[in-house]
Amino acid sequence: MSEGLAAVRAAAVGAAGRDRLDTRRKLQLALSAAWLFDGLLQYQPAMFSKSFPQMLAGSAAGNPAPVAAPIVWSATFIGHHLVISNGVFATIQVLLGLGIAWRPTVKAALAASVVWSAGVWWLGEGLGGILTGSLSPLAGAPGAVVLYALLAVLLWPADRHPAAPFVAARAVGTRVAQASWLILWGTMAVLALLSGIRAPGALSDSVLAMSHGQPGWLAWLDARFADALAGHGLAASIVLAVLLLAVAMGPWRAALTLTRAALVLAIALAMIFWLAEGTGGVLTGTATDPNTGPLLILIAVAFWPLRVSTAKEG
Amino acid sequence: MGSPTWLAGVFAAMMLAVAAFCAGRLLLARGVRRARRPAELDSNLVNLLMGVAMAGMLATALRIGTPALWITLFGLGAAWFGAQALRLRGGAALTPWQCARPIPHLLECGAMLYMLLALPTPHPSTLHPSIPMATASMPAADTSHSALSAISLLLAVVLTAHVVWQANALTPRPAPASTFAPASPFPPASAPAATPTAACARVLAPRCAICCKIAMGITMAYMLVLML
């Protein structure tokens, strides 16, 4: 081995050591990639057409008037200034992604992402449909963008609790992180039991609706899933709610094995949701984000119990 | 309706800026080599070609060469970086003008080949030849388009992840002790700045180079997203 190559290898090893990322940073980078990808999706031709403000206005349906009125107003405003509005929205999301990835701006970008998410959750997603009673977790409730905000809080780069048992607790503490998990999955369990969801054909219809415009293999998969759910709305809702409640209790378990089992179940449910959501429609050219599935998986990873040595290092 | 022309123009301008930067790096390569810093001629050359090709795909007025020419060039690039990756895996020695991390360039060459091969060939009866990629419509959904969408999505996601990784690497870190440090984009803080070779090294602008890679990755991912 030449002297030059040895120097290269030594430098590479040194750089690898400096570059070693902890789990929280890796999750921040995954969140950053999600924002960046959302921004690129927002640049799609369909977003510069009238269908975008129509989609936004559609999220007002079923919401109470105080929630719906600002949605309709903003959709009308965006419709009148479509190209510039959408260009700005897309660029903001790209900048949020790059801001989280670049360490000097990570805090500012995470804080901005919370504000942006809150606005989009209301004006773009109609509060994720949680007040309409007709949107199930299989269709994306409680809204993808609120999960971005939750992740930004849980992955905040502060170490108030350096010995936290999982990454999500490092900034906010174990109790607050556990409470957020319980609220998230508990809310989804409640949503799964609402009257609009447990009707005989409600779940199958929502899954079937997601299959329109999808590539053949995904449409086929969703159609089979919808067939299996058809006529079993109540039973499916109850089973789904029980599974979601089991996940919600996961990080509260004393036994690590049970916690891990709950997190594995959470990841499995997230993957099922994602397929039922038609991967958020990203393959149709009309999606603004990949919907809740990938974000629920990221959140589950943030709650994965750390090894003792890793927790101490944190 | 397609994406606005100005958007494609912005991305095209960004690609031309990247190409110009890479051309500058290639011109300075000799001085840089004397400064015992990695010049990475191969990666700069391929990034220069990519910048020009992508600008042409985004804006018709900037189009140079035929698709066949670009396919040949990026095919050669992919073969070069693929061979480079295999050689590195086998423990072969590096020279300062070779890229130490060929996999991302292999991926970029692959993405360029995919875009050039997958885009519908302009035909007078179906598509005006002057319509650039950003405003052209993809063919109606069918089985082949479904498969292409999946590949486009996969490539766009991988490129997005690479962009994020690059942005993370942009963070200033403590300077390494070694003077020959291709793995680190930042020169030692105590490096002499008065000599001509050191000036060349400074013009090498490692942070700018990373920014160019980020811009190129975002543009490429954008073009792939348009193919969904």
PDB file of all heavy atoms in Angstrom, chain A residues 8 19 21 25 29 32-33 36-37 40 43-45 48 83 101 103 282, chain B residues 1 3 6-7 153 160 163-165 167-168 171 173 180 221 225-226 228:
ATOM      1  N   VAL A   8      -4.714   8.655   2.642  1.00  0.00           N
ATOM      2  CA  VAL A   8      -6.134   8.784   2.274  1.00  0.00           C
ATOM      3  C   VAL A   8      -6.991   7.961   3.213  1.00  0.00           C
ATOM      4  O   VAL A   8      -8.003   8.419   3.739  1.00  0.00           O
ATOM      5  CB  VAL A   8      -6.348   8.322   0.815  1.00  0.00           C
ATOM      6  CG1 VAL A   8      -7.826   8.212   0.507  1.00  0.00           C
ATOM      7  CG2 VAL A   8      -5.674   9.276  -0.135  1.00  0.00           C
ATOM      8  N   ASP A  19     -17.772  12.021  11.522  1.00  0.00           N
ATOM      9  CA  ASP A  19     -19.077  12.093  10.884  1.00  0.00           C
ATOM     10  C   ASP A  19     -20.103  11.144  11.509  1.00  0.00           C
ATOM     11  O   ASP A  19     -21.234  11.129  11.084  1.00  0.00           O
ATOM     12  CB  ASP A  19     -18.954  11.757   9.390  1.00  0.00           C
ATOM     13  CG  ASP A  19     -18.242  12.874   8.647  1.00  0.00           C
ATOM     14  OD1 ASP A  19     -18.093  13.945   9.236  1.00  0.00           O
ATOM     15  OD2 ASP A  19     -17.837  12.640   7.506  1.00  0.00           O
ATOM     16  N   LEU A  21     -22.973   9.619  13.135  1.00  0.00           N
ATOM     17  CA  LEU A  21     -24.208  10.290  13.524  1.00  0.00           C
ATOM     18  C   LEU A  21     -24.915   9.464  14.590  1.00  0.00           C
ATOM     19  O   LEU A  21     -24.964   8.245  14.489  1.00  0.00           O
ATOM     20  CB  LEU A  21     -25.120  10.435  12.311  1.00  0.00           C
ATOM     21  CG  LEU A  21     -24.539  11.161  11.103  1.00  0.00           C
ATOM     22  CD1 LEU A  21     -25.507  11.085   9.946  1.00  0.00           C
ATOM     23  CD2 LEU A  21     -24.241  12.605  11.440  1.00  0.00           C
ATOM     24  N   ARG A  25     -29.790  12.337  15.200  1.00  0.00           N
ATOM     25  CA  ARG A  25     -29.382  13.073  14.002  1.00  0.00           C
ATOM     26  C   ARG A  25     -29.839  12.347  12.737  1.00  0.00           C
ATOM     27  O   ARG A  25     -30.263  12.956  11.756  1.00  0.00           O
ATOM     28  CB  ARG A  25     -27.862  13.270  14.010  1.00  0.00           C
ATOM     29  CG  ARG A  25     -27.348  14.131  12.855  1.00  0.00           C
ATOM     30  CD  ARG A  25     -27.925  15.526  12.869  1.00  0.00           C
ATOM     31  NE  ARG A  25     -27.516  16.304  11.696  1.00  0.00           N
ATOM     32  CZ  ARG A  25     -28.227  17.292  11.176  1.00  0.00           C
ATOM     33  NH1 ARG A  25     -29.371  17.658  11.733  1.00  0.00           N
ATOM     34  NH2 ARG A  25     -27.794  17.940  10.133  1.00  0.00           N
ATOM     35  N   LEU A  29     -32.247  13.796   9.892  1.00  0.00           N
ATOM     36  CA  LEU A  29     -31.946  13.792   8.458  1.00  0.00           C
ATOM     37  C   LEU A  29     -33.070  13.126   7.662  1.00  0.00           C
ATOM     38  O   LEU A  29     -33.388  13.547   6.545  1.00  0.00           O
ATOM     39  CB  LEU A  29     -30.607  13.099   8.192  1.00  0.00           C
ATOM     40  CG  LEU A  29     -29.367  13.837   8.720  1.00  0.00           C
ATOM     41  CD1 LEU A  29     -28.095  13.062   8.385  1.00  0.00           C
ATOM     42  CD2 LEU A  29     -29.262  15.238   8.140  1.00  0.00           C
ATOM     43  N   SER A  32     -35.650  15.669   7.438  1.00  0.00           N
ATOM     44  CA  SER A  32     -35.194  16.638   6.454  1.00  0.00           C
ATOM     45  C   SER A  32     -35.470  16.144   5.029  1.00  0.00           C
ATOM     46  O   SER A  32     -35.974  16.885   4.175  1.00  0.00           O
ATOM     47  CB  SER A  32     -33.695  16.871   6.662  1.00  0.00           C
ATOM     48  OG  SER A  32     -33.087  17.329   5.506  1.00  0.00           O
ATOM     49  N   ALA A  33     -35.170  14.868   4.790  1.00  0.00           N
ATOM     50  CA  ALA A  33     -35.413  14.286   3.456  1.00  0.00           C
ATOM     51  C   ALA A  33     -36.905  14.301   3.141  1.00  0.00           C
ATOM     52  O   ALA A  33     -37.301  14.556   1.994  1.00  0.00           O
ATOM     53  CB  ALA A  33     -34.863  12.861   3.394  1.00  0.00           C
ATOM     54  N   LEU A  36     -37.832  17.813   2.149  1.00  0.00           N
ATOM     55  CA  LEU A  36     -37.267  18.122   0.835  1.00  0.00           C
ATOM     56  C   LEU A  36     -38.075  17.432  -0.269  1.00  0.00           C
ATOM     57  O   LEU A  36     -38.405  18.042  -1.299  1.00  0.00           O
ATOM     58  CB  LEU A  36     -35.802  17.664   0.801  1.00  0.00           C
ATOM     59  CG  LEU A  36     -34.968  18.034  -0.407  1.00  0.00           C
ATOM     60  CD1 LEU A  36     -34.993  19.510  -0.674  1.00  0.00           C
ATOM     61  CD2 LEU A  36     -33.527  17.569  -0.199  1.00  0.00           C
ATOM     62  N   PHE A  37     -38.402  16.177  -0.029  1.00  0.00           N
ATOM     63  CA  PHE A  37     -39.175  15.425  -1.018  1.00  0.00           C
ATOM     64  C   PHE A  37     -40.573  16.039  -1.184  1.00  0.00           C
ATOM     65  O   PHE A  37     -41.083  16.147  -2.305  1.00  0.00           O
ATOM     66  CB  PHE A  37     -39.270  13.962  -0.596  1.00  0.00           C
ATOM     67  CG  PHE A  37     -39.851  13.070  -1.651  1.00  0.00           C
ATOM     68  CD1 PHE A  37     -39.202  12.906  -2.869  1.00  0.00           C
ATOM     69  CD2 PHE A  37     -41.044  12.409  -1.448  1.00  0.00           C
ATOM     70  CE1 PHE A  37     -39.749  12.093  -3.852  1.00  0.00           C
ATOM     71  CE2 PHE A  37     -41.584  11.602  -2.433  1.00  0.00           C
ATOM     72  CZ  PHE A  37     -40.939  11.444  -3.627  1.00  0.00           C
ATOM     73  N   LEU A  40     -40.318  18.967  -3.426  1.00  0.00           N
ATOM     74  CA  LEU A  40     -40.200  18.585  -4.843  1.00  0.00           C
ATOM     75  C   LEU A  40     -41.549  18.135  -5.398  1.00  0.00           C
ATOM     76  O   LEU A  40     -41.890  18.439  -6.542  1.00  0.00           O
ATOM     77  CB  LEU A  40     -39.148  17.479  -4.994  1.00  0.00           C
ATOM     78  CG  LEU A  40     -37.713  17.912  -4.659  1.00  0.00           C
ATOM     79  CD1 LEU A  40     -36.772  16.720  -4.682  1.00  0.00           C
ATOM     80  CD2 LEU A  40     -37.228  18.968  -5.643  1.00  0.00           C
ATOM     81  N   TYR A  43     -43.656  20.920  -6.483  1.00  0.00           N
ATOM     82  CA  TYR A  43     -43.295  21.540  -7.771  1.00  0.00           C
ATOM     83  C   TYR A  43     -43.934  20.805  -8.960  1.00  0.00           C
ATOM     84  O   TYR A  43     -43.727  21.193 -10.109  1.00  0.00           O
ATOM     85  CB  TYR A  43     -41.776  21.509  -7.979  1.00  0.00           C
ATOM     86  CG  TYR A  43     -40.992  22.564  -7.234  1.00  0.00           C
ATOM     87  CD1 TYR A  43     -39.892  22.220  -6.463  1.00  0.00           C
ATOM     88  CD2 TYR A  43     -41.313  23.915  -7.342  1.00  0.00           C
ATOM     89  CE1 TYR A  43     -39.148  23.179  -5.790  1.00  0.00           C
ATOM     90  CE2 TYR A  43     -40.573  24.875  -6.674  1.00  0.00           C
ATOM     91  CZ  TYR A  43     -39.493  24.499  -5.900  1.00  0.00           C
ATOM     92  OH  TYR A  43     -38.757  25.458  -5.244  1.00  0.00           O
ATOM     93  N   GLN A  44     -44.665  19.717  -8.705  1.00  0.00           N
ATOM     94  CA  GLN A  44     -45.252  18.952  -9.817  1.00  0.00           C
ATOM     95  C   GLN A  44     -46.252  19.797 -10.603  1.00  0.00           C
ATOM     96  O   GLN A  44     -46.922  20.664 -10.038  1.00  0.00           O
ATOM     97  CB  GLN A  44     -45.971  17.713  -9.281  1.00  0.00           C
ATOM     98  CG  GLN A  44     -45.047  16.648  -8.754  1.00  0.00           C
ATOM     99  CD  GLN A  44     -45.821  15.490  -8.158  1.00  0.00           C
ATOM    100  OE1 GLN A  44     -45.822  14.408  -8.682  1.00  0.00           O
ATOM    101  NE2 GLN A  44     -46.490  15.743  -7.044  1.00  0.00           N
ATOM    102  N   PRO A  45     -46.389  19.526 -11.890  1.00  0.00           N
ATOM    103  CA  PRO A  45     -47.314  20.314 -12.723  1.00  0.00           C
ATOM    104  C   PRO A  45     -48.731  20.387 -12.153  1.00  0.00           C
ATOM    105  O   PRO A  45     -49.370  21.435 -12.232  1.00  0.00           O
ATOM    106  CB  PRO A  45     -47.292  19.561 -14.055  1.00  0.00           C
ATOM    107  CG  PRO A  45     -45.971  18.888 -14.095  1.00  0.00           C
ATOM    108  CD  PRO A  45     -45.635  18.535 -12.682  1.00  0.00           C
ATOM    109  N   PHE A  48     -49.640  23.259  -9.947  1.00  0.00           N
ATOM    110  CA  PHE A  48     -49.769  24.582 -10.550  1.00  0.00           C
ATOM    111  C   PHE A  48     -51.094  24.707 -11.321  1.00  0.00           C
ATOM    112  O   PHE A  48     -51.292  25.658 -12.062  1.00  0.00           O
ATOM    113  CB  PHE A  48     -48.584  24.858 -11.492  1.00  0.00           C
ATOM    114  CG  PHE A  48     -47.287  25.079 -10.769  1.00  0.00           C
ATOM    115  CD1 PHE A  48     -46.389  24.044 -10.585  1.00  0.00           C
ATOM    116  CD2 PHE A  48     -46.975  26.323 -10.241  1.00  0.00           C
ATOM    117  CE1 PHE A  48     -45.190  24.233  -9.907  1.00  0.00           C
ATOM    118  CE2 PHE A  48     -45.775  26.528  -9.560  1.00  0.00           C
ATOM    119  CZ  PHE A  48     -44.890  25.483  -9.389  1.00  0.00           C
ATOM    120  N   VAL A  83     -49.720  30.320  -9.250  1.00  0.00           N
ATOM    121  CA  VAL A  83     -48.338  29.983  -9.598  1.00  0.00           C
ATOM    122  C   VAL A  83     -47.374  30.488  -8.530  1.00  0.00           C
ATOM    123  O   VAL A  83     -46.524  29.731  -8.031  1.00  0.00           O
ATOM    124  CB  VAL A  83     -47.983  30.558 -10.987  1.00  0.00           C
ATOM    125  CG1 VAL A  83     -46.515  30.360 -11.289  1.00  0.00           C
ATOM    126  CG2 VAL A  83     -48.826  29.877 -12.052  1.00  0.00           C
ATOM    127  N   ALA A 101     -31.190  19.745   7.548  1.00  0.00           N
ATOM    128  CA  ALA A 101     -29.986  18.957   7.236  1.00  0.00           C
ATOM    129  C   ALA A 101     -28.702  19.711   7.568  1.00  0.00           C
ATOM    130  O   ALA A 101     -27.678  19.091   7.878  1.00  0.00           O
ATOM    131  CB  ALA A 101     -29.988  18.581   5.758  1.00  0.00           C
ATOM    132  N   ARG A 103     -26.501  21.678   9.957  1.00  0.00           N
ATOM    133  CA  ARG A 103     -26.501  21.777  11.412  1.00  0.00           C
ATOM    134  C   ARG A 103     -26.683  23.195  11.970  1.00  0.00           C
ATOM    135  O   ARG A 103     -27.429  23.379  12.940  1.00  0.00           O
ATOM    136  CB  ARG A 103     -25.219  21.170  11.991  1.00  0.00           C
ATOM    137  CG  ARG A 103     -25.209  19.664  11.986  1.00  0.00           C
ATOM    138  CD  ARG A 103     -23.885  19.154  12.511  1.00  0.00           C
ATOM    139  NE  ARG A 103     -23.687  17.754  12.221  1.00  0.00           N
ATOM    140  CZ  ARG A 103     -23.920  16.783  13.081  1.00  0.00           C
ATOM    141  NH1 ARG A 103     -24.378  17.055  14.280  1.00  0.00           N
ATOM    142  NH2 ARG A 103     -23.698  15.533  12.753  1.00  0.00           N
ATOM    143  N   VAL A 282     -48.077   9.263  -4.268  1.00  0.00           N
ATOM    144  CA  VAL A 282     -46.845   9.810  -4.865  1.00  0.00           C
ATOM    145  C   VAL A 282     -46.594   9.285  -6.275  1.00  0.00           C
ATOM    146  O   VAL A 282     -45.897   9.931  -7.061  1.00  0.00           O
ATOM    147  CB  VAL A 282     -45.588   9.536  -3.991  1.00  0.00           C
ATOM    148  CG1 VAL A 282     -45.596  10.351  -2.734  1.00  0.00           C
ATOM    149  CG2 VAL A 282     -45.444   8.074  -3.680  1.00  0.00           C
TER     150      VAL A 282
ATOM    151  N   MET B   1     -51.885  21.128 -17.608  1.00  0.00           N
ATOM    152  CA  MET B   1     -50.941  22.255 -17.468  1.00  0.00           C
ATOM    153  C   MET B   1     -49.609  21.745 -16.940  1.00  0.00           C
ATOM    154  O   MET B   1     -49.562  20.912 -16.047  1.00  0.00           O
ATOM    155  CB  MET B   1     -51.525  23.279 -16.501  1.00  0.00           C
ATOM    156  CG  MET B   1     -50.657  24.501 -16.321  1.00  0.00           C
ATOM    157  SD  MET B   1     -51.353  25.612 -15.080  1.00  0.00           S
ATOM    158  CE  MET B   1     -50.054  26.817 -14.954  1.00  0.00           C
ATOM    159  N   SER B   3     -45.469  22.521 -15.484  1.00  0.00           N
ATOM    160  CA  SER B   3     -44.837  23.446 -14.544  1.00  0.00           C
ATOM    161  C   SER B   3     -44.548  24.751 -15.263  1.00  0.00           C
ATOM    162  O   SER B   3     -44.364  24.766 -16.479  1.00  0.00           O
ATOM    163  CB  SER B   3     -43.536  22.840 -14.036  1.00  0.00           C
ATOM    164  OG  SER B   3     -43.807  21.703 -13.277  1.00  0.00           O
ATOM    165  N   TRP B   6     -40.723  29.501 -16.053  1.00  0.00           N
ATOM    166  CA  TRP B   6     -39.696  30.189 -15.264  1.00  0.00           C
ATOM    167  C   TRP B   6     -39.049  29.254 -14.249  1.00  0.00           C
ATOM    168  O   TRP B   6     -37.879  29.373 -13.925  1.00  0.00           O
ATOM    169  CB  TRP B   6     -40.274  31.434 -14.563  1.00  0.00           C
ATOM    170  CG  TRP B   6     -41.405  31.155 -13.614  1.00  0.00           C
ATOM    171  CD1 TRP B   6     -42.728  31.275 -13.867  1.00  0.00           C
ATOM    172  CD2 TRP B   6     -41.310  30.732 -12.233  1.00  0.00           C
ATOM    173  NE1 TRP B   6     -43.476  30.946 -12.757  1.00  0.00           N
ATOM    174  CE2 TRP B   6     -42.630  30.611 -11.741  1.00  0.00           C
ATOM    175  CE3 TRP B   6     -40.248  30.424 -11.381  1.00  0.00           C
ATOM    176  CZ2 TRP B   6     -42.921  30.208 -10.438  1.00  0.00           C
ATOM    177  CZ3 TRP B   6     -40.540  30.014 -10.079  1.00  0.00           C
ATOM    178  CH2 TRP B   6     -41.855  29.915  -9.621  1.00  0.00           C
ATOM    179  N   LEU B   7     -39.853  28.285 -13.757  1.00  0.00           N
ATOM    180  CA  LEU B   7     -39.304  27.337 -12.779  1.00  0.00           C
ATOM    181  C   LEU B   7     -38.225  26.477 -13.432  1.00  0.00           C
ATOM    182  O   LEU B   7     -37.134  26.290 -12.870  1.00  0.00           O
ATOM    183  CB  LEU B   7     -40.440  26.467 -12.218  1.00  0.00           C
ATOM    184  CG  LEU B   7     -40.063  25.476 -11.131  1.00  0.00           C
ATOM    185  CD1 LEU B   7     -39.476  26.174  -9.921  1.00  0.00           C
ATOM    186  CD2 LEU B   7     -41.275  24.654 -10.720  1.00  0.00           C
ATOM    187  N   LEU B 153     -39.553   7.256  -8.833  1.00  0.00           N
ATOM    188  CA  LEU B 153     -39.740   7.525  -7.403  1.00  0.00           C
ATOM    189  C   LEU B 153     -38.529   7.042  -6.603  1.00  0.00           C
ATOM    190  O   LEU B 153     -38.003   7.773  -5.757  1.00  0.00           O
ATOM    191  CB  LEU B 153     -41.019   6.839  -6.904  1.00  0.00           C
ATOM    192  CG  LEU B 153     -41.299   6.957  -5.412  1.00  0.00           C
ATOM    193  CD1 LEU B 153     -41.552   8.406  -5.033  1.00  0.00           C
ATOM    194  CD2 LEU B 153     -42.490   6.104  -5.001  1.00  0.00           C
ATOM    195  N   THR B 160     -32.706  12.426  -3.109  1.00  0.00           N
ATOM    196  CA  THR B 160     -33.077  13.331  -2.014  1.00  0.00           C
ATOM    197  C   THR B 160     -32.280  12.989  -0.758  1.00  0.00           C
ATOM    198  O   THR B 160     -31.762  13.886  -0.077  1.00  0.00           O
ATOM    199  CB  THR B 160     -34.590  13.226  -1.731  1.00  0.00           C
ATOM    200  OG1 THR B 160     -35.301  13.481  -2.933  1.00  0.00           O
ATOM    201  CG2 THR B 160     -35.029  14.215  -0.681  1.00  0.00           C
ATOM    202  N   VAL B 163     -28.807  14.263  -1.160  1.00  0.00           N
ATOM    203  CA  VAL B 163     -28.744  15.719  -0.976  1.00  0.00           C
ATOM    204  C   VAL B 163     -28.698  16.051   0.525  1.00  0.00           C
ATOM    205  O   VAL B 163     -27.896  16.887   0.972  1.00  0.00           O
ATOM    206  CB  VAL B 163     -29.974  16.392  -1.641  1.00  0.00           C
ATOM    207  CG1 VAL B 163     -30.133  17.819  -1.155  1.00  0.00           C
ATOM    208  CG2 VAL B 163     -29.826  16.372  -3.146  1.00  0.00           C
ATOM    209  N   VAL B 164     -29.547  15.390   1.283  1.00  0.00           N
ATOM    210  CA  VAL B 164     -29.593  15.635   2.731  1.00  0.00           C
ATOM    211  C   VAL B 164     -28.252  15.266   3.369  1.00  0.00           C
ATOM    212  O   VAL B 164     -27.734  15.982   4.234  1.00  0.00           O
ATOM    213  CB  VAL B 164     -30.763  14.833   3.346  1.00  0.00           C
ATOM    214  CG1 VAL B 164     -30.650  14.766   4.842  1.00  0.00           C
ATOM    215  CG2 VAL B 164     -32.084  15.466   2.936  1.00  0.00           C
ATOM    216  N   TRP B 165     -27.695  14.161   2.912  1.00  0.00           N
ATOM    217  CA  TRP B 165     -26.396  13.721   3.448  1.00  0.00           C
ATOM    218  C   TRP B 165     -25.316  14.762   3.139  1.00  0.00           C
ATOM    219  O   TRP B 165     -24.475  15.073   3.989  1.00  0.00           O
ATOM    220  CB  TRP B 165     -26.047  12.363   2.817  1.00  0.00           C
ATOM    221  CG  TRP B 165     -24.893  11.681   3.486  1.00  0.00           C
ATOM    222  CD1 TRP B 165     -23.607  11.631   3.051  1.00  0.00           C
ATOM    223  CD2 TRP B 165     -24.933  10.984   4.724  1.00  0.00           C
ATOM    224  NE1 TRP B 165     -22.835  10.934   3.938  1.00  0.00           N
ATOM    225  CE2 TRP B 165     -23.622  10.522   4.974  1.00  0.00           C
ATOM    226  CE3 TRP B 165     -25.924  10.689   5.641  1.00  0.00           C
ATOM    227  CZ2 TRP B 165     -23.297   9.790   6.109  1.00  0.00           C
ATOM    228  CZ3 TRP B 165     -25.603   9.965   6.767  1.00  0.00           C
ATOM    229  CH2 TRP B 165     -24.305   9.527   6.991  1.00  0.00           C
ATOM    230  N   ALA B 167     -25.813  17.968   2.591  1.00  0.00           N
ATOM    231  CA  ALA B 167     -26.072  19.179   3.388  1.00  0.00           C
ATOM    232  C   ALA B 167     -25.570  18.990   4.819  1.00  0.00           C
ATOM    233  O   ALA B 167     -25.047  19.924   5.431  1.00  0.00           O
ATOM    234  CB  ALA B 167     -27.563  19.500   3.385  1.00  0.00           C
ATOM    235  N   ASN B 168     -25.698  17.792   5.326  1.00  0.00           N
ATOM    236  CA  ASN B 168     -25.184  17.500   6.663  1.00  0.00           C
ATOM    237  C   ASN B 168     -23.656  17.597   6.681  1.00  0.00           C
ATOM    238  O   ASN B 168     -23.070  18.083   7.646  1.00  0.00           O
ATOM    239  CB  ASN B 168     -25.643  16.102   7.100  1.00  0.00           C
ATOM    240  CG  ASN B 168     -25.146  15.736   8.472  1.00  0.00           C
ATOM    241  OD1 ASN B 168     -25.459  16.402   9.447  1.00  0.00           O
ATOM    242  ND2 ASN B 168     -24.344  14.692   8.560  1.00  0.00           N
ATOM    243  N   THR B 171     -21.497  21.049   7.166  1.00  0.00           N
ATOM    244  CA  THR B 171     -21.234  21.675   8.448  1.00  0.00           C
ATOM    245  C   THR B 171     -19.741  21.782   8.707  1.00  0.00           C
ATOM    246  O   THR B 171     -19.023  20.808   8.545  1.00  0.00           O
ATOM    247  CB  THR B 171     -21.864  20.830   9.568  1.00  0.00           C
ATOM    248  OG1 THR B 171     -23.223  20.625   9.221  1.00  0.00           O
ATOM    249  CG2 THR B 171     -21.770  21.517  10.902  1.00  0.00           C
ATOM    250  N   ARG B 173     -16.300  21.505  10.410  1.00  0.00           N
ATOM    251  CA  ARG B 173     -15.802  20.634  11.467  1.00  0.00           C
ATOM    252  C   ARG B 173     -14.361  21.018  11.765  1.00  0.00           C
ATOM    253  O   ARG B 173     -13.727  21.715  10.977  1.00  0.00           O
ATOM    254  CB  ARG B 173     -15.838  19.178  10.994  1.00  0.00           C
ATOM    255  CG  ARG B 173     -17.217  18.650  10.742  1.00  0.00           C
ATOM    256  CD  ARG B 173     -17.113  17.172  10.426  1.00  0.00           C
ATOM    257  NE  ARG B 173     -16.303  16.932   9.254  1.00  0.00           N
ATOM    258  CZ  ARG B 173     -16.813  16.721   8.054  1.00  0.00           C
ATOM    259  NH1 ARG B 173     -18.094  16.745   7.876  1.00  0.00           N
ATOM    260  NH2 ARG B 173     -16.028  16.487   7.035  1.00  0.00           N
ATOM    261  N   PHE B 180      -3.147  16.036   3.327  1.00  0.00           N
ATOM    262  CA  PHE B 180      -3.770  15.381   2.180  1.00  0.00           C
ATOM    263  C   PHE B 180      -5.041  14.744   2.698  1.00  0.00           C
ATOM    264  O   PHE B 180      -5.024  13.678   3.281  1.00  0.00           O
ATOM    265  CB  PHE B 180      -2.812  14.314   1.630  1.00  0.00           C
ATOM    266  CG  PHE B 180      -3.258  13.743   0.319  1.00  0.00           C
ATOM    267  CD1 PHE B 180      -2.523  13.971  -0.820  1.00  0.00           C
ATOM    268  CD2 PHE B 180      -4.414  13.000   0.210  1.00  0.00           C
ATOM    269  CE1 PHE B 180      -2.933  13.445  -2.034  1.00  0.00           C
ATOM    270  CE2 PHE B 180      -4.825  12.480  -0.992  1.00  0.00           C
ATOM    271  CZ  PHE B 180      -4.083  12.705  -2.116  1.00  0.00           C
ATOM    272  N   ALA B 221     -33.574  15.291  -8.820  1.00  0.00           N
ATOM    273  CA  ALA B 221     -34.759  14.723  -8.153  1.00  0.00           C
ATOM    274  C   ALA B 221     -36.029  15.409  -8.661  1.00  0.00           C
ATOM    275  O   ALA B 221     -37.061  14.756  -8.852  1.00  0.00           O
ATOM    276  CB  ALA B 221     -34.626  14.875  -6.638  1.00  0.00           C
ATOM    277  N   VAL B 225     -39.162  13.638 -10.342  1.00  0.00           N
ATOM    278  CA  VAL B 225     -40.527  13.800  -9.814  1.00  0.00           C
ATOM    279  C   VAL B 225     -41.484  14.190 -10.945  1.00  0.00           C
ATOM    280  O   VAL B 225     -42.646  13.763 -10.952  1.00  0.00           O
ATOM    281  CB  VAL B 225     -40.527  14.842  -8.666  1.00  0.00           C
ATOM    282  CG1 VAL B 225     -41.925  15.380  -8.405  1.00  0.00           C
ATOM    283  CG2 VAL B 225     -39.977  14.215  -7.389  1.00  0.00           C
ATOM    284  N   LEU B 226     -40.991  14.963 -11.897  1.00  0.00           N
ATOM    285  CA  LEU B 226     -41.844  15.325 -13.039  1.00  0.00           C
ATOM    286  C   LEU B 226     -42.235  14.104 -13.860  1.00  0.00           C
ATOM    287  O   LEU B 226     -43.213  14.130 -14.609  1.00  0.00           O
ATOM    288  CB  LEU B 226     -41.113  16.317 -13.954  1.00  0.00           C
ATOM    289  CG  LEU B 226     -40.916  17.735 -13.437  1.00  0.00           C
ATOM    290  CD1 LEU B 226     -40.251  18.587 -14.501  1.00  0.00           C
ATOM    291  CD2 LEU B 226     -42.244  18.361 -13.034  1.00  0.00           C
ATOM    292  N   LEU B 228     -43.130  11.236 -12.577  1.00  0.00           N
ATOM    293  CA  LEU B 228     -44.029  10.341 -11.820  1.00  0.00           C
ATOM    294  C   LEU B 228     -45.393  10.266 -12.499  1.00  0.00           C
ATOM    295  O   LEU B 228     -45.834  11.233 -13.113  1.00  0.00           O
ATOM    296  CB  LEU B 228     -44.181  10.844 -10.386  1.00  0.00           C
ATOM    297  CG  LEU B 228     -42.974  10.696  -9.487  1.00  0.00           C
ATOM    298  CD1 LEU B 228     -43.225  11.358  -8.138  1.00  0.00           C
ATOM    299  CD2 LEU B 228     -42.635   9.220  -9.271  1.00  0.00           C
TER     300      LEU B 228
END
